[in-house]
Amino acid sequence: MNCWRPAGISIVLAALVLMGLLGAQGAAAQTAAAPVQPLDGGQCDRAHFRLLLDVGHTAKVPGADSARRVPEFQFNLRLAQEIDDAMIGAGFSKTAVLVTEGPKQIGLSRRVARANHLAPDVLLSIHHDSVPDKFVEKWEYEGKKSYFSDRFKGHSIFVSWDNPAREMSLRFARLLGLQLKERGMAYTPHYTEPFMGHYQRTLVDAEAGVYRYDQLRVLRETRMPAVLLEAGSIINRDEELLLDSPEHRALISASVADAADAYCAALPRSHIQQAKH
């Protein structure tokens, strides 16, 4: 696995091993995309294509808890590592994982600044979903009070209209969504519903499951194409177990690799030549 370790950003893998890392704006769907066509044709130069996998949240601000009380950050890190392995195994040797430290706002500023400095071809931020508090129910797991919601399941993909590379962000997001769909995975449609309140989002690609989310700093403040993947709902008890399955995570990893290959092959040759220098 390739990992960047800049000042203020570090990998916390050893600590996580000790912790026991787990082996709205309108309801109408708007299809934003015709079939993806190459910009100038050709094959992907995998050795020079740079995908940066941003691990959502931090060790100090770990995001949502799963139905079985596992921090989202642990899910995010594990999946990002496995996508990294799959990408490198497929010849994308410049793929790397970015893990950020610090409290929420400082951590967000650091990850955006570092991503802009590294300037990958695509930034993919890895997350796992929960639900608004009003949908959460109590249950007992291993003798302790826990919380769950089995109401929603499925992945979702987000892009920001404020990202300066919006069209290319949407292009990669669509390719990723179609690859997930081809492998039998379904996106969750509940973000379009009025009951989501301020979490409601506009579905901009109804075939691929891509939503618009302008407020996320990692999408709107980065200067390269940027996409956020919510790989599934860890507050859903059944889907949490599915996301804990190596076989399911392998399908997600393969989807990312195939999406990257199709996206890379569509880039102008001049872009790939610049990446070599």
Side-chain angles (χ1 to χ4, degrees), residues 146-167:
S146 303
Y147 298 91
F148 78 96
S149 176
D150 295 338
R151 183 169 180 172
F152 310 116
K153 63 180 180 179
H155 63 271
S156 48
I157 301 171
F158 298 94
V159 296
S160 171
W161 256 220
D162 295 330
N163 181 283
R166 182 180 81 183
E167 291 185 6

Side-chain angles (χ1 to χ4, degrees), residues 93-259:
S93 58
K94 290 188 179 296
T95 304
V97 175
L98 181 64
V99 180
T100 308
E101 288 183 338
K104 185 174 182 179
Q105 293 305 321
I106 294 175
L108 285 171
S109 296
R110 286 173 176 170
R111 83 176 64 227
V112 168
R114 192 56 186 165
N116 285 334
H117 175 74
L118 294 166
D121 293 299
V122 175
L123 172 73
L124 178 61
S125 190
I126 303 297
H127 287 253
H128 289 75
D129 216 351
S130 186
V131 297
D133 290 344
K134 65 183 177 181
F135 298 125
V136 171
E137 303 175 58
K138 295 180 182 179
W139 74 311
E140 188 174 286
Y141 176 69
E142 293 185 341
K144 295 183 180 180
K145 182 173 67 174
S146 303
Y147 298 91
F148 78 96
S149 176
D150 295 338
R151 183 169 180 172
F152 310 116
K153 63 180 180 179
H155 63 271
S156 48
I157 301 171
F158 298 94
V159 296
S160 171
W161 256 220
D162 295 330
N163 181 283
R166 182 180 81 183
E167 291 185 6
M168 298 305 287
S169 298
L170 184 57
R171 176 184 287 261
F172 183 81
R174 174 172 171 79
L175 287 166
L176 176 56
L178 293 179
Q179 287 295 330
L180 293 168
K181 181 179 180 180
E182 186 173 310
R183 289 169 171 83
M185 286 171 263
Y187 72 87
T188 178
H190 74 277
Y191 277 105
T192 64
E193 300 294 343
F195 60 66
M196 290 297 289
H198 68 277
Y199 295 104
Q200 186 181 12
R201 303 288 169 230
T202 299
L203 184 63
V204 297
D205 189 326
E207 183 180 11
V210 181
Y211 292 91
R212 176 179 172 180
Y213 198 165
D214 293 340
Q215 293 84 355
L216 292 174
R217 292 182 64 186
V218 74
L219 297 182
R220 66 181 171 87
E221 295 182 10
T222 44
R223 295 193 293 267
M224 74 294 301
V227 174
L228 187 144
L229 170 66
E230 296 276 7
S233 178
I234 56 173
I235 199 72
N236 180 304
R237 292 174 294 184
D238 289 339
E239 189 153 64
E240 179 187 8
L241 295 177
L242 182 66
L243 292 162
D244 196 31
S245 159
E247 293 79 12
H248 185 78
R249 296 195 307 274
L251 292 176
I252 297 174
S253 298
S255 297
V256 174
D258 283 353

Side-chain angles (χ1 to χ4, degrees), residues 55-59 61-64 72-73 76 99-100 111 126-128:
V55 179
H57 301 289
T58 70
V61 187
E72 178 192 346
F73 179 71
N76 298 344
V99 180
T100 308
R111 83 176 64 227
I126 303 297
H127 287 253
H128 289 75

